[in-house]
C-alpha cells in the first residue's frame, strides 16, 4: 500500500496556510514542561488549543479543502463519536458546506452536542452500523465522506503536526518550504529526540511519523496507548494486525483512543513507528492533572497519554529530548474538577 | 519622560530570538475562543503557557540579557511577591547568574516556592521595606535590580507580546523586521480591533500599547482592572496619578493586579492606552472557569480579567475584533477545582 509522502504533508501545510486566520488550525508552539528531568527535557505540542479542542481539525480542514467546488453544496459526512465529528462539522461550516455526522447511541453527549452546535445534522445509529450508514447517506446525497483516519488527505493533514514540531526544533524548515509560522532559533537538539504520539486509529501517528522522519531521520517515534486498549501495540509487535473486540478496547476512560488501525495506517506504522508503549488508567489521570496544574493546559485523558508515558514509563523510553503531542482537551468539566481536587494528584 | 520606543521593543524581540529555544519565551499563538460572538470575534494570547506561567519572563529575560558580562557573576535582585520574582529567578538561572528575591511576609507561598525552586535566595521583609531592601542588597553586592515594571528594558520585553499580536493579525510583520515566528496569512482584521490588557503596575500595557500602535495605528488598547483595585482607571480618567492605599488595592483575589503605576508607566498609559475598564470579582471567577472549560487554558484570576471584560463588560468596549491577553496561569489547584466544580460556572 502506498504511504502518504512528506510532499503531501507539505502540500497540506501550504493549503492550511492559505486559509483565512479565523478558519485554519492554530499554529501551536512547543511548550517546555517547566519541571522536566534535565536529562530528558520535555516539550509539549498543545493541540488541545485548536478551535475544536483537538488535532482532528487539521485532517478535516485539509480533506474539506480538497472537495471540488462543484461537490461542495452536497456536503460532508463523518462517522465518529467524538473529536473527528466536531472537526468535520467545523470544516464544513468553514467552507460553507452542510455536514452530517453519524454517531453511535453510546457517543459522549458533550461531543455530539459540540458537533450539533456547529450546525451538523446528527444521525444516531447502532455502533456496528455507523460506517455503512455514513456511506449510504453520502451515496444518496452525493456528499463526501471524511473518514476519521483511513484516508490519505486526512493523514496528510494530521502530519502537519509533525512538520511544525520539526520546524520549531530546528529553528528552520529542514529544507522544506516555509509553513505558516516557523521559529528563527531552534532548541539545539539536532536529531537526538523522541516524539510521543497517542495511538487510536493511527492517523495522527502515521502523518507525524512520516513528517518528523523526513526532516529528522534519526528521530524516534513512539506511540502511546492505554493498557486497556493496546491493540496497536499488540499488532505492531507481532507484525500483523490484531483485532481486539470493541468491548475490550472501550474499557479505557480515554474515550478518544478506542479505534483500531486500518490496513493503511498499520502500513504507515510499520514503516515510521519505532515502538508503542502503554500507560495505566491511573497514570493517565495523574498526567491529566499534572498538565493542568503545572503546564496550564486542560487536556482530555486521550491527550494526556503521552505525558503519562513520559512521567511513568520513562524506563521504556530513550533517555533523551522528548516531544509529547497533547492531542486534545475535550474533557468533562466535573471530571477535571475531580482530578484536580484529589490530593495525591 | 521619554517613552520606550517601538524600535526598542523590536530590539528586545531580536535579543530573545537569539536565545536558545530552551530558554527564550514561548512564541505564543493567537487562539480563537470557539464560541465568541461573531460580531466581535475573540482571540486569546495565552501567556500562561510561558515556562514560568506568565508574561513576566519576557521582561526579566530581556533585562538579564542586557547585564554586562562583567556584572553577571554578581547577580540579579528582584522585589516582588509573585510572577515577576519567579521570572527573574528563571532569567538569572538561564544566564548563569545568582538571584535574590525580596518578598513581603504576605506573599503567596506557592509563588515564593516557585522562585526558590529555580535557585533564588529568598529574603522575607515587611511589605513597605521591600523596594529599599532590594536596592540595599544590590548596592552591597554590586548586583543588578530588575524592577517589576518601572524600567525601560522590562517594558520593552513585555512589549514583545504586542509585536507578536500585530504580526499574527497581519500575517506579516507590518514593516518591522521578522521576529522568531510569524504567521504567513493574517486574520483579515486590518486596523479594526481592540486589544485588552490586564493592568497592575502598567509595564505590560505600556509595552503592548507602544508595539501594537506602532504597527496598527488605529487599534484601540484598553486596560482591565479589578473593580477593587481600579487605581489606574481612576488615574487615567482624572489625568493625574491617584494613589489608592495598599489595603484597598489588595482586596481583590487577583493577586497579580495590586501594584500601582509608576510615573513612567503612567506616562506611557496616557500616550497609548485609550481607556481602562473594570471587572467584578464574580466575573473574574466566571472567566477563569470559562477559559479552562471552553478554551482549555488554565489562567490565574489576574490573567482572566481581560476575558471577564469581554464576556461581562461588552457594552463598554468597541463592538469589534478583540484580542485578550491572558497574562498568566499560576492559580492554586484547589481554587481552580472549586471554580470548575461550581455549577453556575
Amino acid at each position: 500500500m502506498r504511504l502518504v509522502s512528506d510532499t503531501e504533508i507539505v502540500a497540506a501545510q501550504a493549503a492550511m496556510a492559505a486559509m483565512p486566520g479565523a478558519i485554519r488550525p492554530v499554529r501551536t508552539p512547543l511548550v517546555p514542561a517547566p519541571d522536566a528531568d534535565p536529562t530528558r527535557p520535555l516539550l509539549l505540542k498543545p493541540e488541545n488549543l485548536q478551535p475544536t479542542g483537538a488535532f482532528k481539525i487539521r485532517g478535516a480542514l485539509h480533506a474539506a479543502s480538497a472537495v471540488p467546488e462543484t461537490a461542495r453544496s452536497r456536503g460532508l459526512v463523518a462517522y465518529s463519536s467524538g473529536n473527528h465529528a466536531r472537526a468535520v462539522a467545523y470544516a464544513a461550516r468553514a467552507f460553507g458546506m452542510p455536514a452530517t455526522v453519524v454517531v453511535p447511541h453510546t457517543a459522549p453527549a458533550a461531543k455530539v452536542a459540540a458537533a450539533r452546535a456547529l450546525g451538523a445534522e446528527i444521525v444516531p445509529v447502532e455502533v456496528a452500523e455507523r460506517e455503512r450508514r455514513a456511506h449510504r447517506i453520502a451515496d444518496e446525497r452525493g456528499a463526501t465522506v471524511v473518514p476519521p483516519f483511513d484516508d490519505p488527505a486526512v493523514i496528510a493533514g494530521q502530519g502537519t503536526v509533525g512538520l511544525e514540531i520539526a520546524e520549531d526544533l530546528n529553528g528552520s524548515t529542514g529544507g522544506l518550504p516555509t509553513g505558516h509560522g516557523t521559529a528563527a532559533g531552534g532548541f539545539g537538539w539536532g536529531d537526538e529526540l523522541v516524539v510521543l504520539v497517542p495511538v487510536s486509529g493511527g492517523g495522527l501517528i502515521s502523518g507525524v511519523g512520516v513528517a518528523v522522519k523526513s526532516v529528522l531521520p534519526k528521530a524516534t517515534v513512539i506511540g502511546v496507548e492505554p493498557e486497556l486498549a493496546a491493540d496497536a501495540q499488540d499488532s505492531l509487535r507481532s507484525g500483523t494486525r490484531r483485532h481486539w473486540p470493541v468491548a475490550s478496547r472501550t474499557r479505557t476512560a480515554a474515550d478518544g483512543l478506542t479505534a483500531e488501525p486500518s490496513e493503511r495506517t498499520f502500513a504507515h506504522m510499520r514503516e515510521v513507528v519505532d515502538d508503542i508503549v502503554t500507560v495505566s488508567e491511573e497514570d493517565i489521570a495523574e498526567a491529566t492533572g499534572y498538565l493542568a496544574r503545572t503546564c496550564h493546559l486542560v487536556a482530555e485523558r486521550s491527550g494526556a497519554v503521552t505525558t503519562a508515558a513520559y512521567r511513568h514509563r520513562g524506563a521504556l523510553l530513550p533517555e533523551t529530548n522528548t516531544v509529547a503531542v497533547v492531542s486534545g482537551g475535550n474533557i468533562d468539566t466535573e471530571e477535571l474538577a475531580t482530578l484536580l481536587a484529589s490530593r495525591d494528584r
Side-chain angles (χ1 to χ4, degrees), chain A:
Chain A
M1 178 170 289
R2 192 188 67 76
L3 304 191
V4 169
S5 70
D6 55 341
T7 317
E8 289 170 274
I9 302 172
V10 171
Q13 188 179 47
M16 287 175 196
M19 296 173 192
I23 287 174
R24 66 152 181 267
V26 173
R27 209 295 182 184
T28 54
L30 292 177
V31 175
D35 59 350
D37 176 354
T39 67
R40 45 182 201 123
L42 175 64
L43 296 172
L44 306 166
K45 178 73 171 167
E47 289 294 299
N48 57 332
L49 300 185
Q50 296 297 349
T52 59
F55 75 96
K56 293 281 190 182
I57 193 175
R58 296 175 182 261
L61 276 172
H62 183 230
S65 73
V67 174
E69 198 68 55
T70 52
R72 289 199 174 170
S73 65
R74 296 194 292 277
L76 301 179
V77 180
Y79 48 96
S80 155
S81 49
N83 288 329
H84 177 66
R86 185 170 172 179
V88 170
Y90 176 96
R93 195 180 65 165
F95 285 90
M97 291 185 263
T100 308
V101 174
V102 181
V103 301
H105 292 296
T106 55
K111 289 184 176 177
V112 174
R116 187 182 286 115
L118 287 163
E121 178 191 348
I122 308 295
V123 180
V125 298
E126 295 304 317
V127 176
E129 283 297 303
R130 61 181 183 172
E131 187 164 348
R132 192 165 38 189
R133 184 67 168 275
H135 282 283
R136 209 180 69 207
I137 291 172
D139 287 347
E140 287 166 5
R141 303 183 185 176
T144 304
V145 170
V146 183
F149 50 85
D150 188 29
D151 180 86
V154 170
I155 292 172
Q158 322 301 31
T160 59
V161 170
L163 279 190
E164 292 176 3
I165 291 170
E167 285 173 3
D168 282 0
L169 287 178
N170 272 348
S172 77
T173 56
L176 295 167
T178 301
H180 56 291
T182 57
F187 284 82
W189 283 8
D191 278 2
E192 186 65 40
L193 78 149
V194 52
V195 181
L196 304 176
V197 187
V199 175
S200 182
L204 179 61
I205 201 168
S206 293
V208 168
V210 170
V212 166
K213 292 202 166 175
S214 75
V215 184
L216 303 166
K218 290 186 200 151
T220 303
V221 174
I222 295 184
V224 185
E225 282 185 310
E227 281 169 10
L228 298 181
D231 59 298
Q233 182 193 61
D234 194 3
S235 298
L236 191 69
R237 291 191 175 176
S238 67
T240 181
R241 284 171 70 208
R242 303 284 277 264
H243 301 284
W244 287 26
V246 173
S248 172
R249 284 186 267 130
T250 50
R251 289 171 301 165
T252 177
D255 62 45
L257 301 182
T258 62
E260 62 175 3
S262 65
E263 203 183 318
R264 186 192 312 274
T265 55
F266 186 60
H268 283 78
M269 286 162 60
R270 293 193 67 171
E271 189 74 22
V272 295
V273 175
D274 296 279
D275 195 11
I276 293 180
V277 300
T278 63
V279 287
S280 71
E281 297 296 302
E282 292 69 26
D283 292 346
I284 297 171
E286 191 280 336
T288 307
Y290 164 80
L291 285 168
R293 234 177 23 239
T294 306
C295 307
H296 308 128
L297 292 168
V298 174
E300 61 188 282
R301 287 170 198 261
S302 308
V305 293
T306 49
T307 305
Y310 174 87
R311 290 173 67 76
H312 302 284
R313 292 293 182 276
L316 303 178
L317 303 174
E319 189 178 333
T320 185
N321 309 309
T322 306
V323 176
V325 177
V326 179
S327 53
N330 295 319
I331 188 171
D332 176 77
T333 306
E334 288 180 22
E335 206 180 320
L336 178 62
T338 308
L339 284 178
L340 288 174
S342 58
R343 288 209 167 273
D344 53 335
R345 281 160 186 161

